[in-house]
Amino acid sequence: MVFFFTCSDPKYVVYMGKDKFENEELLKYGWPEDIWFHVDKYSSAHVYLRLPLGSVDLSGIKDKAEAKQKLLDAVATVPEKILMEMAQLTKANSIEGCKLSEADIVYTPYLNLKKSERMDAGQVGFKDESSRILLRNVAKDKDVVKELEKTRVEKKVDFAAEKEQRDAEERARRRKQIEAQKQQEKEEAKKHAEEKELKSYASLQHLDKTSNVGVNKTGTLEECKEIEEDFM
C-alpha cells in the first residue's frame, strides 16, 4: 500500500512508501518526472513529488551533461512553497527527524538514484552527488504538516502496470509531437517554395519590362524597320 497526499497545487502527485520494503518497489518503478525527498543522514520515509507527464522529455538526448541539466531544470520549476511542503512531510515521517528541532532535507531527480545489490532494503545512493540538493535547517511547521496529513489516503498500486501505462502515454505524446513537427516543417518548406516561385516570377516580369528599354522609343514603322536592318 502507498500513501498519497494532496499538496497546495493539485497538478503535482505526492506519495510515499509505507515501509522500507515498499520503498524498494517505488525505486523499481519510479518515473522520470519523480523527485525524491529524504531526511539527510537519518532514516525516513521516501517521499516523492511527481511532476506532470511530459515535464521531463529526454528523447533524443545522448549527452549526459545535457540530460542532467534537463532534469535539474525540471526540478527548478517546482515552486518554493511546494518544496517546503515536501520537506515538512518528509521530516514528519522520520522517526528521528521528527524529534529534531531542525533537519536537513535532501532531494534529487528520481533518475539520479542508484541502487546496488549490497545495499539494504530501502537504501539508495546517488549517481551524481552534485545533483542532490539540500534544504538546510528545516524546522517543523505544524500547520503545514496538519494540512497535508488531512489528505492522506492509502491505496493499493500496481507499480508495474502504472509504469507501463505511463510509458505508453509518453510514446504516444512523442509520436504526436514528432508528427506535428513534421507537418510544420512540411508547411514551412511549401511556403518557402511558394515564395521562391513568386520571386522568380517577379524577376521575369522585371526582365521583360527592361529588356527593350531604349531600343524602341517612338514605335513608328520606320524606326522598327531601321532596327531590323541594323540586326541583319
Side-chain angles (χ1 to χ4, degrees):
M1 303 292 283
V2 181
F3 293 119
F4 287 85
F5 302 83
T6 302
C7 65
S8 57
D9 189 339
K11 77 177 181 181
Y12 298 108
V13 176
V14 181
Y15 66 100
M16 72 179 187
K18 189 174 183 178
D19 53 39
K20 63 181 181 179
F21 301 106
E22 194 167 64
N23 287 336
E24 285 296 302
E25 292 299 299
L26 298 182
L27 288 169
K28 289 179 185 177
Y29 300 106
W31 296 9
E33 291 83 5
D34 289 345
I35 302 173
W36 177 88
F37 291 77
H38 198 274
V39 175
D40 192 38
K41 298 178 181 179
Y42 293 95
S43 62
S44 78
H46 291 205
V47 179
Y48 291 83
L49 178 70
R50 178 163 292 169
L51 308 184
L53 184 64
S55 299
V56 181
D57 187 0
L58 299 176
S59 58
I61 298 178
K62 297 180 180 180
D63 181 69
K64 288 185 178 181
E66 185 180 356
K68 172 185 173 181
Q69 191 57 53
K70 192 85 171 180
L71 289 170
L72 292 177
D73 287 345
V75 172
T77 65
V78 181
E80 184 177 353
K81 181 179 180 182
I82 302 299
L83 290 176
M84 291 311 300
E85 288 178 11
M86 295 292 88
Q88 290 297 328
L89 185 61
T90 305
K91 184 178 185 303
N93 285 278
S94 168
I95 295 175
E96 297 171 284
C98 69
K99 299 174 184 177
L100 300 173
S101 58
E102 294 181 342
D104 293 343
I105 308 298
V106 60
Y107 65 100
T108 193
Y110 162 77
L111 291 180
N112 188 43
L113 298 178
K114 179 177 66 176
K115 180 73 179 181
S116 67
E117 295 180 357
R118 292 177 296 177
M119 292 179 177
D120 295 333
Q123 186 179 7
V124 295
F126 304 100
K127 297 174 184 175
D128 182 358
E129 287 288 332
S130 66
S131 292
R132 62 192 294 271
I133 307 166
L134 274 180
L135 288 172
R136 295 189 178 278
N137 306 319
V138 176
K140 183 176 181 179
D141 187 324
K142 294 182 180 179
D143 293 333
V144 171
V145 173
K146 184 178 179 180
E147 288 301 312
L148 287 168
E149 286 294 342
K150 282 181 183 178
T151 69
R152 181 191 289 249
V153 177
E154 190 173 3
K155 298 180 183 178
K156 186 175 182 180
V157 180
D158 187 335
F159 300 106
E162 278 205 349
K163 182 66 162 53
E164 186 176 343
Q165 181 181 351
R166 178 263 170 207
D167 291 345
E169 290 177 1
E170 178 64 8
R171 286 193 295 270
R173 186 189 69 81
R174 288 180 182 177
R175 281 196 300 268
K176 187 176 181 180
Q177 187 179 43
I178 291 171
E179 288 172 2
Q181 185 177 351
K182 286 182 178 179
Q183 182 62 29
Q184 183 180 355
E185 290 174 354
K186 185 178 178 180
E187 291 174 358
E188 289 177 353
K190 181 181 178 182
K191 183 179 178 181
H192 179 70
E194 289 174 349
E195 289 175 350
K196 186 177 180 181
E197 186 177 351
L198 285 172
K199 287 180 181 179
S200 177
Y201 180 69
S203 298
L204 287 173
Q205 282 189 319
H206 179 70
L207 181 62
D208 185 56
K209 290 178 181 179
T210 59
S211 60
N212 292 324
V213 173
V215 175
N216 187 350
K217 296 182 179 179
T218 63
T220 64
L221 182 60
E222 291 77 10
E223 198 172 83
C224 288
K225 286 181 178 180
E226 290 177 1
I227 294 170
E228 288 176 357
E229 290 172 357
D230 287 340
F231 282 97
M232 291 179 67

